[in-house]
Amino acid sequence: MTRNEMIIEGRLFVDKVHSDAYPEITKREWDVFLTESQNRFFKTRYGKNNLYQKGYEESQKRRDDLSKITTVKYLQNIGGVFSLDTLYSDELLSSDSGFVYSFHLNSEAKTNGCGVWESIDVVDHDTYTTIKNDPFNEPDLDNPIATFIDLGMKVEPLPEAVKITCVRIPKNISETQDCELSEHTHKEIVQLAVNLVIESVESPRIQTHSLNNIE
């Protein structure tokens, strides 16, 4: 659906649920409700705050829901830490993607100058330190490890390049921006927006914690 189609459907649902007169909600106000619903929906899809208690990696539907905002980006080595502050669209770091990083899914490192990308095992700080200092279990170029530090990733041993598969924050819905999530999610987002509208103009009896009951 386009943004306007979502607003039209939302108004129809509000009319059915709340038949009495209610304050006219402008398109800009609908943008706010739809954006808030989109963002809440997005967070339930990545985490486990949903009916089935399944996160992104545990359900094909979760992955399909976020497929349009899942992508591969390249990181710049700044002082031995691969920065997540600015992400790039190509390996040469020549194209700043303007991408707003949100959730990390997996990482790969290029090592040995042979063009082979090896999977990075991302661990917590304590595990990283333990493995790094263990002479019998230290990481090598074929089995690198990493941990998150500030707005970046510290990788051991230091590779030539790092790329990550991640989910970005969807853009706000507006007159010039349709919903970025997959088409099959739009009706669910509209219904969540309707709940928010009714709660705001009628009473808190329509509780938005019902978001947990969506698939």
Side-chain angles (χ1 to χ4, degrees):
M1 291 186 206
T2 65
R3 168 257 196 178
N4 285 336
E5 288 171 338
M6 294 178 83
I7 291 175
I8 291 170
E9 183 158 318
R11 284 174 170 169
L12 289 174
F13 277 123
V14 169
D15 285 341
K16 287 180 180 179
V17 176
H18 192 289
S19 58
D20 298 331
Y22 63 91
E24 179 65 26
I25 300 172
T26 67
K27 284 191 173 183
R28 288 191 178 183
E29 289 171 331
W30 269 105
D31 289 339
V32 174
F33 288 118
L34 287 169
T35 296
E36 176 64 19
S37 299
Q38 171 189 257
N39 292 340
R40 293 189 187 191
F41 183 93
F42 159 66
K43 290 176 182 177
T44 65
R45 275 23 213 173
Y46 181 80
K48 295 188 178 185
N49 187 25
N50 55 68
L51 180 62
Y52 299 116
Q53 297 293 293
K54 288 183 178 292
Y56 182 92
E57 299 290 356
E58 300 173 276
S59 165
Q60 183 61 48
K61 186 176 188 301
R62 304 283 81 72
R63 292 187 287 272
D64 290 343
D65 289 347
L66 300 182
S67 61
K68 287 192 172 183
I69 54 173
T70 301
T71 189
V72 174
K73 295 299 176 186
Y74 296 84
L75 277 57
Q76 181 180 18
N77 181 356
I78 300 178
V81 175
F82 287 88
S83 174
L84 291 166
D85 190 36
T86 302
L87 304 179
Y88 295 85
S89 299
D90 59 83
E91 187 179 343
L92 298 177
L93 309 182
S94 60
S95 177
D96 180 351
S97 66
F99 182 93
V100 181
Y101 166 83
S102 181
F103 295 120
H104 170 271
L105 298 178
N106 59 66
S107 309
E108 294 178 90
K110 179 183 280 190
T111 59
N112 288 331
C114 58
V116 175
W117 290 91
E118 301 288 352
S119 179
I120 298 174
D121 185 15
V122 179
V123 298
D124 60 38
H125 291 270
D126 291 341
T127 303
Y128 179 88
T129 302
T130 300
I131 295 176
K132 179 181 176 181
N133 296 329
D134 184 352
F136 302 104
N137 193 34
E138 60 183 349
D140 56 39
L141 292 174
D142 294 327
N143 298 284
I145 64 170
T147 191
F148 289 100
I149 178 171
D150 296 329
L151 284 176
M153 291 178 63
K154 193 171 183 180
V155 186
E156 180 69 29
L158 190 66
E160 296 176 18
V162 168
K163 64 180 178 180
I164 63 172
T165 301
C166 57
V167 179
R168 67 174 172 79
I169 298 173
K171 296 177 183 176
N172 291 348
I173 296 172
S174 68
E175 185 177 358
T176 58
Q177 178 63 58
D178 293 329
C179 178
E180 291 193 291
L181 299 185
S182 300
E183 179 77 20
H184 68 269
T185 70
H186 292 181
K187 284 186 177 295
E188 293 176 82
I189 292 170
V190 169
Q191 186 57 62
L192 297 179
V194 169
N195 289 348
L196 289 175
V197 168
I198 295 172
E199 180 180 343
S200 68
V201 301
E202 186 179 67
S203 75
R205 66 183 179 83
I206 306 295
Q207 294 297 323
T208 52
H209 66 245
S210 62
L211 290 171
N212 293 347
N213 294 325
I214 61 178
E215 298 182 2

Coordinates of all heavy atoms in Angstrom, one line a residue, residues 48-136:
K48 N 11.6 -10.5 20.5 CA 10.7 -11.6 20.8 C 9.4 -11.1 21.4 O 8.7 -11.9 22.0 CB 11.3 -12.7 21.7 CG 12.5 -13.4 21.0 CD 13.0 -14.5 21.9 CE 14.2 -15.2 21.2 NZ 14.6 -16.4 21.9
N49 N 9.1 -9.8 21.3 CA 7.9 -9.2 21.9 C 6.8 -9.4 21.0 O 6.2 -8.5 20.4 CB 8.2 -7.8 22.2 CG 7.1 -7.2 23.0 OD1 6.3 -7.8 23.7 ND2 6.9 -5.8 22.9
N50 N 6.4 -10.7 20.7 CA 5.2 -11.0 19.9 C 4.6 -12.3 20.3 O 5.1 -12.9 21.2 CB 5.7 -11.1 18.4 CG 6.8 -12.1 18.2 OD1 6.6 -13.3 18.4 ND2 8.0 -11.6 17.9
L51 N 3.5 -12.6 19.7 CA 2.6 -13.7 20.2 C 3.4 -15.0 20.3 O 3.3 -15.8 21.2 CB 1.4 -13.9 19.2 CG 0.5 -15.1 19.5 CD1 -0.2 -14.8 20.9 CD2 -0.6 -15.2 18.5
Y52 N 4.3 -15.3 19.3 CA 5.0 -16.6 19.3 C 6.4 -16.5 19.9 O 7.1 -17.5 20.0 CB 5.2 -17.0 17.8 CG 3.8 -17.2 17.1 CD1 3.5 -16.4 16.0 CD2 2.9 -18.2 17.6 CE1 2.2 -16.6 15.4 CE2 1.7 -18.4 16.9 CZ 1.4 -17.6 15.9 OH 0.2 -17.8 15.3
Q53 N 6.7 -15.4 20.5 CA 8.0 -15.2 21.2 C 9.2 -15.7 20.3 O 10.1 -16.3 20.8 CB 8.0 -16.1 22.5 CG 6.9 -15.6 23.5 CD 7.3 -14.2 24.1 OE1 8.3 -14.0 24.8 NE2 6.5 -13.2 23.8
K54 N 9.1 -15.3 19.1 CA 10.2 -15.7 18.1 C 10.8 -14.4 17.6 O 10.1 -13.4 17.2 CB 9.6 -16.5 17.0 CG 9.3 -17.9 17.4 CD 8.8 -18.7 16.2 CE 8.5 -20.2 16.6 NZ 9.7 -20.9 17.0
G55 N 12.1 -14.4 17.5 CA 12.9 -13.3 16.9 C 13.2 -13.5 15.5 O 12.8 -14.4 14.8
Y56 N 14.0 -12.6 14.9 CA 14.3 -12.5 13.5 C 14.9 -13.9 13.0 O 14.5 -14.4 12.0 CB 15.4 -11.4 13.3 CG 15.8 -11.2 11.8 CD1 15.1 -10.4 11.0 CD2 16.8 -12.0 11.3 CE1 15.4 -10.2 9.7 CE2 17.2 -11.8 10.0 CZ 16.5 -11.0 9.2 OH 16.8 -10.8 7.8
E57 N 15.9 -14.4 13.8 CA 16.6 -15.6 13.3 C 15.7 -16.9 13.5 O 16.1 -17.9 13.0 CB 17.9 -15.7 14.1 CG 18.9 -14.6 13.9 CD 19.4 -14.5 12.5 OE1 19.1 -15.4 11.7 OE2 20.2 -13.6 12.2
E58 N 14.6 -16.8 14.2 CA 13.9 -18.0 14.5 C 12.6 -18.3 13.7 O 12.0 -19.3 13.8 CB 13.5 -18.0 16.0 CG 14.6 -17.8 17.0 CD 14.2 -17.6 18.4 OE1 13.9 -16.5 18.7 OE2 14.1 -18.6 19.1
S59 N 12.3 -17.4 12.8 CA 11.1 -17.5 12.0 C 11.2 -16.9 10.7 O 11.7 -15.8 10.5 CB 9.9 -16.8 12.8 OG 8.8 -16.7 11.9
Q60 N 10.8 -17.7 9.6 CA 10.9 -17.2 8.3 C 10.0 -15.9 8.1 O 10.4 -15.0 7.4 CB 10.4 -18.2 7.3 CG 10.5 -17.8 5.8 CD 11.9 -17.5 5.4 OE1 12.9 -18.3 5.7 NE2 12.1 -16.4 4.7
K61 N 8.8 -15.9 8.8 CA 8.0 -14.7 8.7 C 8.7 -13.5 9.2 O 8.5 -12.4 8.7 CB 6.6 -14.9 9.4 CG 5.6 -13.8 9.2 CD 4.3 -14.0 9.8 CE 3.3 -12.9 9.4 NZ 3.7 -11.6 9.8
R62 N 9.4 -13.6 10.3 CA 10.1 -12.5 10.9 C 11.1 -12.0 9.8 O 11.2 -10.7 9.6 CB 10.9 -12.9 12.1 CG 10.2 -13.5 13.3 CD 9.4 -12.5 14.1 NE 8.1 -12.1 13.5 CZ 7.1 -13.0 13.4 NH1 7.1 -14.1 14.0 NH2 6.0 -12.6 12.8
R63 N 11.8 -12.9 9.2 CA 12.8 -12.4 8.2 C 12.1 -11.8 7.0 O 12.6 -10.8 6.4 CB 13.6 -13.6 7.7 CG 14.6 -14.2 8.8 CD 15.5 -15.2 8.3 NE 14.8 -16.5 8.1 CZ 14.7 -17.4 9.0 NH1 15.1 -17.2 10.2 NH2 14.1 -18.6 8.7
D64 N 11.0 -12.4 6.5 CA 10.2 -11.8 5.4 C 9.7 -10.4 5.8 O 9.7 -9.5 4.9 CB 9.1 -12.7 5.0 CG 9.5 -14.0 4.4 OD1 10.7 -14.0 3.9 OD2 8.7 -14.9 4.3
D65 N 9.3 -10.2 7.0 CA 8.7 -8.9 7.4 C 9.8 -7.8 7.3 O 9.4 -6.7 7.0 CB 8.2 -9.0 8.9 CG 7.0 -9.8 9.0 OD1 6.3 -10.1 8.0 OD2 6.6 -10.2 10.2
L66 N 11.0 -8.1 7.5 CA 12.1 -7.1 7.6 C 13.0 -7.2 6.3 O 14.0 -6.5 6.3 CB 12.9 -7.2 8.8 CG 12.2 -7.1 10.2 CD1 13.1 -7.2 11.3 CD2 11.4 -5.8 10.2
S67 N 12.6 -8.0 5.3 CA 13.5 -8.2 4.2 C 13.9 -6.9 3.5 O 15.0 -6.8 3.0 CB 12.9 -9.2 3.2 OG 11.7 -8.7 2.7
K68 N 13.0 -6.0 3.4 CA 13.3 -4.8 2.6 C 14.2 -3.8 3.3 O 14.7 -2.9 2.7 CB 12.0 -4.1 2.2 CG 11.2 -4.8 1.1 CD 10.1 -3.9 0.6 CE 9.4 -4.6 -0.6 NZ 8.3 -3.7 -1.2
I69 N 14.4 -4.0 4.6 CA 15.3 -3.1 5.3 C 16.5 -3.9 5.8 O 17.2 -3.4 6.8 CB 14.6 -2.3 6.4 CG1 13.9 -3.3 7.4 CG2 13.6 -1.3 5.8 CD1 13.3 -2.6 8.6
T70 N 16.8 -5.0 5.3 CA 17.9 -5.8 5.6 C 18.9 -5.8 4.5 O 18.6 -5.9 3.3 CB 17.5 -7.3 5.9 OG1 16.6 -7.4 6.9 CG2 18.7 -8.1 6.2
T71 N 20.2 -5.5 4.8 CA 21.2 -5.3 3.7 C 22.6 -5.5 4.2 O 22.8 -5.7 5.4 CB 21.1 -3.8 3.2 OG1 21.9 -3.7 2.0 CG2 21.5 -2.8 4.3
V72 N 23.5 -5.6 3.3 CA 24.9 -5.8 3.6 C 25.6 -4.4 3.5 O 25.5 -3.7 2.5 CB 25.6 -6.8 2.7 CG1 27.1 -6.9 2.9 CG2 24.9 -8.2 2.8
K73 N 26.4 -4.1 4.5 CA 27.2 -2.8 4.4 C 28.6 -3.1 4.9 O 28.9 -4.1 5.6 CB 26.6 -1.8 5.4 CG 25.2 -1.3 5.0 CD 25.2 -0.7 3.6 CE 23.8 -0.3 3.1 NZ 23.8 0.2 1.7
Y74 N 29.5 -2.2 4.5 CA 30.9 -2.3 4.7 C 31.4 -1.3 5.8 O 30.9 -0.2 5.8 CB 31.7 -2.1 3.4 CG 31.4 -3.2 2.4 CD1 30.3 -3.1 1.6 CD2 32.2 -4.4 2.3 CE1 30.0 -4.1 0.7 CE2 31.9 -5.4 1.4 CZ 30.8 -5.2 0.6 OH 30.4 -6.2 -0.3
L75 N 32.4 -1.7 6.6 CA 32.8 -0.9 7.7 C 34.2 -0.4 7.5 O 35.0 -1.0 6.8 CB 32.8 -1.7 9.0 CG 31.5 -1.8 9.8 CD1 30.4 -2.4 8.9 CD2 31.7 -2.7 11.0
Q76 N 34.5 0.8 8.0 CA 35.8 1.4 7.9 C 36.6 1.2 9.2 O 36.1 1.3 10.3 CB 35.6 2.9 7.7 CG 37.0 3.7 7.5 CD 36.8 5.2 7.3 OE1 35.7 5.7 7.6 NE2 37.8 5.9 6.8
N77 N 37.9 0.8 8.9 CA 38.8 0.6 10.1 C 39.3 2.0 10.6 O 40.0 2.7 9.8 CB 40.0 -0.3 9.6 CG 41.0 -0.6 10.7 OD1 40.8 -0.1 11.8 ND2 42.0 -1.4 10.4
I78 N 38.9 2.3 11.8 CA 39.4 3.6 12.4 C 40.2 3.2 13.7 O 39.6 2.9 14.7 CB 38.2 4.5 12.7 CG1 37.5 4.9 11.4 CG2 38.8 5.8 13.3 CD1 36.3 5.7 11.6
G79 N 41.5 3.3 13.6 CA 42.3 3.0 14.7 C 42.2 1.6 15.3 O 42.2 1.4 16.5
G80 N 42.0 0.6 14.4 CA 41.9 -0.8 14.8 C 40.5 -1.2 15.2 O 40.2 -2.3 15.6
V81 N 39.5 -0.3 15.1 CA 38.1 -0.6 15.4 C 37.3 -0.3 14.1 O 37.4 0.8 13.5 CB 37.5 0.2 16.6 CG1 36.0 -0.1 16.7 CG2 38.3 -0.1 17.8
F82 N 36.4 -1.3 13.7 CA 35.6 -1.1 12.5 C 34.3 -0.3 12.9 O 33.5 -0.9 13.6 CB 35.3 -2.4 11.9 CG 36.5 -3.0 11.2 CD1 37.4 -3.8 11.9 CD2 36.8 -2.7 9.8 CE1 38.5 -4.3 11.2 CE2 37.9 -3.3 9.2 CZ 38.8 -4.1 9.9
S83 N 34.2 0.9 12.4 CA 33.2 1.8 12.9 C 31.8 1.4 12.3 O 31.7 1.1 11.1 CB 33.6 3.2 12.4 OG 32.5 4.1 12.7
L84 N 30.8 1.5 13.2 CA 29.4 1.4 12.8 C 28.7 2.8 12.6 O 27.6 2.9 12.3 CB 28.6 0.6 13.8 CG 29.0 -0.9 13.9 CD1 28.4 -1.5 15.2 CD2 28.5 -1.7 12.7
D85 N 29.5 3.8 12.9 CA 29.0 5.2 12.8 C 28.6 5.6 11.4 O 27.6 6.2 11.1 CB 30.0 6.1 13.4 CG 29.4 7.5 13.6 OD1 28.2 7.6 13.9 OD2 30.1 8.5 13.4
T86 N 29.5 5.2 10.4 CA 29.3 5.4 9.0 C 29.4 4.1 8.3 O 30.5 3.5 8.4 CB 30.3 6.5 8.4 OG1 30.2 7.7 9.2 CG2 30.0 6.7 7.0
L87 N 28.4 3.7 7.5 CA 28.4 2.5 6.8 C 28.5 2.8 5.3 O 28.0 3.8 4.8 CB 27.2 1.7 7.1 CG 26.9 1.3 8.6 CD1 25.7 0.5 8.7 CD2 28.1 0.6 9.1
Y88 N 29.1 1.9 4.5 CA 29.4 2.1 3.1 C 28.7 1.0 2.3 O 28.5 -0.1 2.7 CB 30.9 2.1 2.9 CG 31.6 3.3 3.6 CD1 32.0 3.2 4.9 CD2 31.8 4.5 2.9 CE1 32.6 4.2 5.5 CE2 32.4 5.5 3.5 CZ 32.8 5.4 4.8 OH 33.4 6.5 5.5
S89 N 28.4 1.4 1.0 CA 27.7 0.5 0.1 C 28.7 -0.4 -0.7 O 28.2 -1.3 -1.3 CB 26.9 1.4 -0.9 OG 25.9 2.1 -0.2
D90 N 30.0 -0.1 -0.7 CA 30.9 -0.9 -1.4 C 32.2 -1.1 -0.6 O 32.5 -0.4 0.3 CB 31.3 -0.2 -2.7 CG 31.9 1.2 -2.5 OD1 33.1 1.3 -2.2 OD2 31.1 2.2 -2.6
E91 N 32.9 -2.1 -1.0 CA 34.1 -2.6 -0.3 C 35.2 -1.5 -0.3 O 36.0 -1.5 0.6 CB 34.6 -3.9 -0.9 CG 35.7 -4.5 -0.1 CD 36.2 -5.8 -0.8 OE1 35.4 -6.4 -1.6 OE2 37.3 -6.3 -0.4
L92 N 35.2 -0.7 -1.3 CA 36.3 0.4 -1.4 C 35.9 1.6 -0.5 O 36.7 2.5 -0.5 CB 36.4 0.8 -2.9 CG 36.9 -0.3 -3.9 CD1 36.9 0.3 -5.3 CD2 38.2 -0.8 -3.5
L93 N 34.8 1.5 0.1 CA 34.4 2.6 1.0 C 34.3 3.9 0.3 O 34.6 5.0 0.9 CB 35.4 2.7 2.2 CG 35.6 1.4 3.0 CD1 36.6 1.7 4.2 CD2 34.4 0.8 3.5
S94 N 33.9 3.9 -0.9 CA 33.8 5.1 -1.7 C 32.4 5.7 -1.8 O 32.2 6.8 -2.3 CB 34.3 4.8 -3.2 OG 33.5 3.8 -3.8
S95 N 31.5 4.9 -1.3 CA 30.1 5.4 -1.3 C 29.4 5.3 0.0 O 29.1 4.2 0.5 CB 29.3 4.5 -2.3 OG 27.9 4.9 -2.4
D96 N 29.3 6.4 0.7 CA 28.6 6.5 2.0 C 27.1 6.3 1.7 O 26.5 7.0 1.0 CB 28.8 7.9 2.5 CG 28.2 8.1 3.9 OD1 27.4 7.3 4.3 OD2 28.5 9.1 4.5
S97 N 26.6 5.2 2.4 CA 25.2 4.8 2.1 C 24.2 5.7 2.8 O 23.0 5.7 2.4 CB 25.0 3.4 2.6 OG 25.1 3.3 4.0
G98 N 24.6 6.5 3.8 CA 23.6 7.3 4.6 C 22.7 6.4 5.4 O 21.6 6.8 5.8
F99 N 23.1 5.2 5.6 CA 22.3 4.1 6.2 C 22.4 4.3 7.7 O 23.5 4.5 8.3 CB 23.0 2.8 5.8 CG 22.3 1.5 6.3 CD1 21.3 0.9 5.6 CD2 22.7 1.0 7.5 CE1 20.7 -0.3 6.0 CE2 22.1 -0.2 8.0 CZ 21.1 -0.8 7.2
V100 N 21.2 4.2 8.4 CA 21.2 4.3 9.9 C 21.2 2.9 10.4 O 20.2 2.2 10.3 CB 20.0 5.1 10.3 CG1 20.0 5.2 11.9 CG2 20.0 6.5 9.7
Y101 N 22.3 2.5 11.0 CA 22.4 1.1 11.6 C 21.4 0.9 12.7 O 21.3 1.8 13.6 CB 23.8 0.9 12.0 CG 24.1 -0.3 12.9 CD1 24.2 -1.6 12.4 CD2 24.1 -0.1 14.3 CE1 24.4 -2.7 13.2 CE2 24.3 -1.2 15.1 CZ 24.5 -2.5 14.6 OH 24.7 -3.6 15.4
S102 N 20.8 -0.3 12.8 CA 19.9 -0.6 13.9 C 20.3 -1.9 14.6 O 20.8 -1.9 15.7 CB 18.5 -0.6 13.4 OG 17.6 -0.9 14.5
F103 N 20.1 -3.0 13.9 CA 20.4 -4.3 14.5 C 21.4 -5.1 13.6 O 21.3 -5.2 12.4 CB 19.1 -5.2 14.6 CG 18.1 -4.6 15.5 CD1 16.8 -4.2 15.0 CD2 18.4 -4.4 16.8 CE1 15.9 -3.6 15.9 CE2 17.4 -3.8 17.7 CZ 16.2 -3.5 17.2
H104 N 22.4 -5.7 14.3 CA 23.4 -6.5 13.7 C 22.8 -8.0 13.6 O 22.3 -8.5 14.5 CB 24.6 -6.5 14.5 CG 25.7 -7.5 14.1 ND1 25.7 -8.8 14.6 CD2 26.7 -7.4 13.3 CE1 26.7 -9.5 14.1 NE2 27.3 -8.7 13.3
L105 N 23.0 -8.6 12.4 CA 22.6 -10.0 12.2 C 23.8 -10.9 12.1 O 23.9 -11.9 12.8 CB 21.8 -10.1 10.9 CG 20.5 -9.3 10.9 CD1 19.7 -9.4 9.6 CD2 19.6 -9.7 12.0
N106 N 24.8 -10.6 11.2 CA 26.0 -11.4 11.1 C 27.1 -10.6 10.5 O 26.8 -9.5 9.9 CB 25.8 -12.7 10.4 CG 25.3 -12.5 9.0 OD1 26.0 -12.0 8.1 ND2 24.1 -12.9 8.7
S107 N 28.3 -11.0 10.6 CA 29.5 -10.3 10.1 C 30.4 -11.3 9.4 O 30.5 -12.5 9.7 CB 30.3 -9.7 11.2 OG 29.4 -8.9 12.1
E108 N 31.2 -10.7 8.5 CA 32.3 -11.5 7.8 C 33.5 -10.6 7.6 O 33.4 -9.4 7.6 CB 31.8 -11.9 6.4 CG 30.7 -12.9 6.4 CD 30.2 -13.2 5.0 OE1 30.7 -14.2 4.4 OE2 29.3 -12.5 4.5
A109 N 34.7 -11.3 7.6 CA 35.9 -10.6 7.5 C 36.7 -11.1 6.3 O 36.7 -12.3 6.1 CB 36.8 -10.7 8.8
K110 N 37.4 -10.2 5.6 CA 38.3 -10.6 4.5 C 39.7 -10.7 5.0 O 40.2 -9.8 5.6 CB 38.2 -9.6 3.3 CG 39.1 -10.0 2.2 CD 39.1 -9.0 1.1 CE 37.9 -9.2 0.2 NZ 38.0 -8.4 -1.0
T111 N 40.3 -11.8 4.9 CA 41.6 -12.1 5.4 C 42.6 -12.7 4.4 O 42.2 -13.1 3.3 CB 41.5 -13.1 6.6 OG1 41.0 -14.3 6.1 CG2 40.6 -12.5 7.7
N112 N 43.9 -12.6 4.7 CA 44.9 -13.3 3.9 C 45.1 -12.7 2.5 O 45.9 -13.2 1.7 CB 44.7 -14.8 3.8 CG 44.9 -15.5 5.1 OD1 45.7 -15.1 5.9 ND2 44.2 -16.6 5.3
G113 N 44.4 -11.6 2.2 CA 44.6 -11.0 0.9 C 44.2 -11.9 -0.3 O 44.5 -11.6 -1.4
C114 N 43.4 -12.9 0.0 CA 43.0 -13.9 -1.1 C 41.5 -13.7 -1.5 O 41.0 -14.4 -2.3 CB 43.2 -15.3 -0.6 SG 42.3 -15.7 0.9
G115 N 40.9 -12.7 -0.9 CA 39.5 -12.4 -1.3 C 38.5 -13.3 -0.7 O 37.3 -13.2 -1.1
V116 N 38.8 -14.1 0.3 CA 37.9 -15.0 0.9 C 37.3 -14.3 2.1 O 38.0 -13.7 3.0 CB 38.6 -16.3 1.3 CG1 37.6 -17.2 2.1 CG2 39.1 -17.0 0.1
W117 N 36.0 -14.3 2.3 CA 35.3 -13.8 3.4 C 35.0 -14.9 4.4 O 34.4 -15.9 4.1 CB 34.0 -13.1 3.0 CG 34.2 -11.8 2.2 CD1 34.3 -11.7 0.9 CD2 34.3 -10.5 2.7 NE1 34.5 -10.4 0.5 CE2 34.5 -9.7 1.6 CE3 34.3 -10.0 4.0 CZ2 34.7 -8.3 1.8 CZ3 34.5 -8.6 4.2 CH2 34.7 -7.8 3.1
E118 N 35.5 -14.7 5.6 CA 35.3 -15.7 6.7 C 34.2 -15.2 7.7 O 34.2 -14.0 8.0 CB 36.6 -16.0 7.4 CG 37.7 -16.5 6.6 CD 37.5 -18.0 6.2 OE1 36.5 -18.6 6.6 OE2 38.3 -18.5 5.3
S119 N 33.4 -16.1 8.2 CA 32.4 -15.7 9.2 C 33.0 -15.3 10.5 O 34.0 -15.9 10.9 CB 31.4 -16.8 9.4 OG 30.5 -16.5 10.4
I120 N 32.6 -14.2 11.1 CA 33.1 -13.7 12.3 C 32.2 -14.2 13.5 O 31.0 -14.1 13.4 CB 33.1 -12.2 12.4 CG1 34.1 -11.6 11.3 CG2 33.6 -11.6 13.7 CD1 34.0 -10.1 11.2
D121 N 32.8 -14.7 14.5 CA 32.1 -15.1 15.7 C 32.0 -13.9 16.7 O 33.0 -13.5 17.2 CB 32.8 -16.3 16.4 CG 32.0 -16.9 17.6 OD1 30.8 -16.5 17.7 OD2 32.6 -17.6 18.3
V122 N 30.8 -13.3 16.8 CA 30.7 -12.2 17.7 C 30.4 -12.7 19.1 O 29.4 -13.4 19.3 CB 29.5 -11.3 17.2 CG1 29.4 -10.1 18.1 CG2 29.8 -10.8 15.8
V123 N 31.2 -12.2 20.0 CA 31.1 -12.6 21.4 C 31.0 -11.4 22.4 O 31.3 -10.3 21.9 CB 32.3 -13.6 21.8 CG1 32.3 -14.8 21.0 CG2 33.6 -12.8 21.7
D124 N 30.8 -11.7 23.6 CA 30.8 -10.6 24.6 C 32.2 -10.2 25.0 O 33.2 -10.9 24.6 CB 29.9 -10.9 25.8 CG 30.4 -12.1 26.6 OD1 31.7 -12.3 26.7 OD2 29.6 -12.9 27.1
H125 N 32.4 -9.1 25.7 CA 33.7 -8.6 26.0 C 34.6 -9.6 26.8 O 35.7 -9.8 26.5 CB 33.6 -7.3 26.8 CG 33.0 -6.1 26.0 ND1 33.8 -5.3 25.3 CD2 31.8 -5.7 25.8 CE1 33.1 -4.4 24.7 NE2 31.8 -4.6 25.0
D126 N 34.0 -10.2 27.8 CA 34.7 -11.2 28.7 C 35.2 -12.4 27.8 O 36.4 -12.8 28.0 CB 33.9 -11.7 29.8 CG 33.6 -10.6 30.8 OD1 34.3 -9.6 30.9 OD2 32.6 -10.7 31.6
T127 N 34.3 -12.9 27.0 CA 34.7 -14.0 26.1 C 35.8 -13.6 25.2 O 36.7 -14.4 24.9 CB 33.5 -14.6 25.4 OG1 32.5 -14.9 26.4 CG2 33.8 -15.8 24.6
Y128 N 35.6 -12.4 24.6 CA 36.6 -11.9 23.6 C 38.0 -11.9 24.3 O 39.0 -12.3 23.7 CB 36.2 -10.5 23.2 CG 37.1 -9.9 22.2 CD1 37.0 -10.1 20.8 CD2 38.1 -9.0 22.7 CE1 37.9 -9.4 19.9 CE2 39.0 -8.4 21.8 CZ 38.9 -8.6 20.4 OH 39.7 -8.0 19.5
T129 N 38.1 -11.3 25.5 CA 39.4 -11.2 26.2 C 39.9 -12.6 26.5 O 41.1 -12.8 26.3 CB 39.2 -10.4 27.5 OG1 38.7 -9.1 27.1 CG2 40.5 -10.2 28.2
T130 N 39.1 -13.5 27.0 CA 39.5 -14.8 27.3 C 40.1 -15.6 26.1 O 41.2 -16.1 26.2 CB 38.4 -15.6 27.9 OG1 37.9 -15.0 29.1 CG2 38.8 -17.0 28.3
I131 N 39.4 -15.5 25.0 CA 39.8 -16.3 23.8 C 41.1 -15.6 23.2 O 42.0 -16.3 22.9 CB 38.7 -16.3 22.7 CG1 37.5 -17.1 23.2 CG2 39.2 -16.8 21.4 CD1 36.3 -17.0 22.3
K132 N 41.1 -14.3 23.2 CA 42.3 -13.6 22.7 C 43.5 -13.9 23.4 O 44.6 -14.0 22.8 CB 42.0 -12.1 22.7 CG 43.2 -11.2 22.2 CD 42.8 -9.8 22.3 CE 44.0 -8.9 21.8 NZ 43.7 -7.5 21.9
N133 N 43.4 -14.1 24.7 CA 44.6 -14.3 25.6 C 44.9 -15.8 25.8 O 45.8 -16.1 26.6 CB 44.5 -13.6 26.9 CG 44.4 -12.1 26.7 OD1 45.0 -11.5 25.8 ND2 43.7 -11.4 27.6
D134 N 44.1 -16.7 25.2 CA 44.3 -18.1 25.4 C 45.2 -18.7 24.3 O 44.8 -18.7 23.2 CB 43.0 -18.8 25.4 CG 43.1 -20.3 25.7 OD1 44.2 -20.8 25.7 OD2 42.0 -21.0 25.8
P135 N 46.5 -19.0 24.7 CA 47.4 -19.5 23.6 C 47.0 -20.8 22.9 O 47.5 -21.1 21.9 CB 48.7 -19.7 24.4 CG 48.3 -19.9 25.8 CD 47.1 -19.1 26.0
F136 N 46.1 -21.5 23.6 CA 45.6 -22.8 23.0 C 44.3 -22.7 22.2 O 43.8 -23.6 21.6 CB 45.5 -23.8 24.1 CG 46.7 -24.1 24.9 CD1 46.8 -23.6 26.2 CD2 47.8 -24.8 24.3 CE1 48.0 -23.8 26.9 CE2 48.9 -25.1 25.1 CZ 49.0 -24.5 26.3

